[in-house]
Every structure is written in structure tokens, then in C-alpha cells.
Amino acid sequence: MRIVEINASTNYNVYIQQGLLDSCGDITAKLVKGRKALVISDSNVAPLYGERVCESLRRSGFETSLFVIPAGEESKNPENLIKAADFCIDSGLTRSDAVIALGGGVITDMAGLCGALYQRGVAVVQIPTSLLSMVDSSVGGKTAVNLSKGKNMFGAFYQPSAVLCDTSALSTLPKAEYSNGMAEVIKYAVLRSGKLLSLLQDDADKVIDEIVEECVRIKRDYVCADEFDRGERQFLNLGHTVGHAIERSSNFGIAHGSAVAAGMCIVARACANMGICSEDTAKLIEKLCVQFELPIDSEIDSETLFDASLSDKKREGGEISVVMIRDIGECYLHRTTTDFLREILSKGRGGKV
Ligand code: GLY
């Protein structure tokens, strides 16, 4: 089994192995005193893996209950958060028991927040089932639900007690979702280069456990350096400033991973056109995105993207942070004004959508 230790405000392990769902009872039993576990999942994942996870928990002596929300981003809302918390009460969950998050990013974010708030905090075991949630959302303690006026606007930093990545769950992931996760994997490769870059150039599916481990290690380094996202962790936003604008302008019709891939390529081309990185660097990033069937630009015009990015500006108190690319493995954080974003958008477009 691959294990990555996270030493943040609390210490925990990320376990990576095929078939790990069946060990979640044993792992959880070592972490909590209580013997009640509430599994929170969605209508896509619960029918596939809900019973298997509950069965593993029961074998380890847990009394289990399962709370299922409809699959999809629109479920990540305060109403479902409160319903989940009410269900914790109905299930008799105490502070020494556990919330188990079983699903993709919507579930890991919402169940993480439910665990953070219920009785001021119970143990949360994250079991991400999408590539995106394995390499990003389940690790690092960011939890949230969306408000009608903004994505992830209502949340908390709350580290889980363990993260279990069962990579065999990826076999049931729709292809487009797998590609979305790959956008974040490419992001880590651009940030750090090295091993991950060569793993991506191999047959990625065959080395997916190694890829997940490497991404978690990279994320671990950023989270441990800056758990509360005040500096270093913002490198993880590579491609996200433009990516968020693409997501928002499409009314979230364009998936996060696709938007980040396009955002990363726009920044890479702009950096090449400004003489900050080489043409070859920008081309390599595009090539990686194309390899995983991700877009390298968007059909949305630059003016619309610029307007959409203004709400990020408000959120960051008048400044915008753009992660710039000098080379693969050599990025830097540029705190700037929206004017600079106009320049990125004018110099970075032109990729074939
Ligand atoms: N998803 C970016 C972060 O965890 O900071």
C-alpha cells in the first residue's frame, strides 16, 4: 500500500491502493473511539460502493447509516448540509464517532464541512472515488458548500482523519470525469515537473496509483507549507484564475477540469508570447491536455472572461493572483491588477478549441 503522511495542524495519512474500500472499517476503527459511522454519498456512487463501504465498517464493529444526496454540483448547498447534519442526530452520532465521505468533490467538500460543524467537529474519513477528488479535493482540509451568490463561499479548513484512495473505483468513472481529474494532474506536473511528467508520458492508466501518490505528495508539500492558503498554497491555482472565469461564464456548464486545462494553456501561451517561457513549454502543456482530451482554449470571448474574473478580484480584495510559468517545474505567483489579466487574455488566446 502507498501511504503519504500529511503533517498539517493535525496529522493523517493518505492511503492509496486498489481494493481499499474493503479496508475502510479497519482503518476507521483505529482512528475513532466510537462505533457509529455515517456514510455520506451521492446517487451515482452510493449504488456502486455504498453497501461495500458499510459492510466493511460493520465487519469492524460499526453501526452504519447511509445518507445519499442527488449527484451533481447543485446538491452542494446549505440545505443538504443541514439535512446531513440532522441525519447525524437521527443516527445518534456522537463526537467520538465518524463521518465517512464517499464520492467525488461535491461529497468530499460537503461531508467534510458537515464533519467539521457537527458537534463542533467529528472525525472525517474521506473516500474519494473520482480522480479529481483523489488528487485534489479530499486532501488538504478545504471543505465547503456553494451559496447562491458564489461557489465554495461557505466552508472551513478542517483536516480529515484519513483519506482512502481506492484507485479501482476509477474503473466506473465516466471518461469525461477521468479527463477532468487529469487536468489537475497536469497542473501538478507543470508545477513540479520531474517524475509526474514522465509518468504522464507513459501509459498513464497503467501507473495510476503512482500518479495519484505523486500528486498527493506534491499537494502535501503546498498544504504543509501554507495550510490556510495565504501564500504558497496559491500555486495550486495554476490555470484557475482564467479557469474560474470560464466556469462562471459558462454558468458552470464547462466542468472544472476542462476549464482549468484551458486556463492553464491560455496562461502558458501568454507567457510564451511575453517571452517568459519558451514556445516549446507552452506546446508541451497543450500536448498533455490534448493527450487527455482536454480543451486548450475556450469559445468564450475574452471580454466575457475578463468580466467574469472581476468577481474573483472582489474576493481577493482588489488584487488578482496569477500563477505564471517560466518553465515546466518553474512557476511563480504574480500578484497583479485586472489590467494584467487583460494582457494574459489578449496574448494567450488562439489555441484550437
Ligand atoms: N484545491 C486547491 C487547494 O486545495 O488549495
Side-chain angles (χ1 to χ4, degrees):
M1 174 151 53
R2 296 167 190 276
I3 301 177
V4 182
E5 273 179 56
I6 314 272
N7 296 311
S9 49
T10 58
N11 298 342
Y12 57 98
N13 288 338
V14 180
Y15 301 92
I16 303 151
Q17 193 180 45
Q18 307 228 341
L20 203 52
L21 289 180
D22 301 311
S23 308
C24 77
D26 284 352
I27 293 174
T28 308
K30 291 191 183 106
L31 296 169
V32 299
K33 286 206 193 85
R35 282 298 172 265
K36 284 202 174 97
L38 169 62
V39 180
I40 300 182
S41 191
D42 72 24
S43 54
N44 285 342
V45 176
L48 294 170
Y49 304 118
E51 184 45 35
R52 213 169 126 197
V53 163
C54 288
E55 170 61 29
S56 167
L57 289 159
R58 284 195 293 269
R59 273 200 311 274
S60 298
F62 285 93
E63 195 182 305
T64 61
S65 39
L66 177 64
F67 181 75
V68 180
I69 59 170
E73 185 72 27
E74 29 328 311
S75 285
K76 199 173 114 177
N77 58 43
E79 293 75 27
N80 281 332
L81 174 70
I82 299 299
K83 281 187 195 159
D86 277 338
F87 201 78
C88 289
I89 298 182
D90 296 343
S91 308
L93 224 68
T94 68
R95 284 183 78 180
S96 50
D97 295 317
V99 164
I100 315 288
L102 174 68
V106 167
I107 291 297
T108 57
D109 280 10
M110 196 197 83
L113 184 58
C114 179
L117 297 176
Y118 182 68
Q119 297 200 9
R120 301 192 182 87
V122 295
V124 174
V125 173
Q126 295 279 10
I127 310 184
T129 54
S130 70
L131 183 59
L132 188 80
S133 57
M134 286 184 195
V135 300
D136 186 19
S137 29
S138 67
V139 180
K142 278 190 181 175
T143 72
V145 291
N146 302 329
L147 297 180
S148 55
K149 292 188 177 158
K151 216 181 150 181
N152 293 329
M153 281 288 170
F154 196 57
F157 286 96
Y158 189 70
Q159 299 295 339
S161 299
V163 182
L164 279 59
C165 301
D166 180 344
T167 45
S168 60
L170 298 176
S171 65
T172 53
L173 193 66
K175 201 167 179 316
E177 285 304 318
Y178 187 76
S179 290
N180 271 316
M182 274 299 172
E184 295 286 349
V185 175
I186 295 167
K187 175 194 82 178
Y188 289 121
V190 176
L191 285 172
R192 282 292 181 83
S193 177
K195 187 175 171 189
L196 193 50
L197 195 61
S198 47
L199 286 173
L200 283 179
Q201 284 160 346
D202 292 343
D203 188 351
D205 297 351
K206 294 215 172 82
V207 287
I208 197 67
D209 286 28
E210 239 178 307
I211 288 179
V212 171
E213 181 186 6
E214 198 52 26
C215 291
V216 171
R217 283 189 187 287
I218 296 171
K219 179 146 191 191
R220 184 260 325 264
D221 292 349
Y222 285 104
V223 167
C224 291
D226 175 28
E227 182 175 348
F228 299 105
D229 204 12
R230 293 190 182 108
E232 195 76 4
R233 189 167 176 166
Q234 288 169 18
F235 275 92
L236 296 172
N237 287 339
L238 171 61
H240 284 59
T241 305
V242 178
H244 284 157
I246 294 173
E247 274 185 285
R248 194 170 296 121
S249 309
S250 72
N251 231 341
F252 297 94
I254 296 176
H256 179 72
S258 295
V260 166
M264 217 163 20
C265 291
I266 290 171
V267 169
R269 282 190 300 270
C271 287
N273 287 332
M274 291 173 187
I276 295 166
C277 75
S278 70
E279 274 292 311
D280 285 354
T281 299
K283 286 216 171 346
L284 176 59
I285 296 169
E286 288 183 341
K287 188 170 160 257
L288 285 168
C289 291
V290 170
Q291 182 184 336
F292 294 103
E293 294 174 30
L294 288 160
I296 60 169
D297 206 333
S298 163
E299 276 162 354
I300 302 165
D301 65 88
S302 295
E303 210 43 47
T304 307
L305 292 183
F306 180 75
D307 289 344
S309 70
L310 292 184
S311 36
D312 264 349
K313 178 178 180 270
K314 272 190 222 132
R315 191 165 157 170
E316 291 177 29
E319 274 194 329
I320 246 176
S321 294
V322 185
V323 184
M324 302 289 282
I325 304 163
R326 237 181 235 121
D327 201 349
I328 306 286
E330 216 190 300
C331 295
Y332 65 96
L333 209 54
H334 187 47
R335 289 189 209 286
T336 183
T337 61
T338 45
D339 285 347
F340 187 74
L341 196 61
R342 265 192 205 284
E343 210 176 324
I344 296 265
L345 286 169
S346 81
K347 297 199 164 131
R349 305 309 298 272
K352 204 160 154 277
V353 183

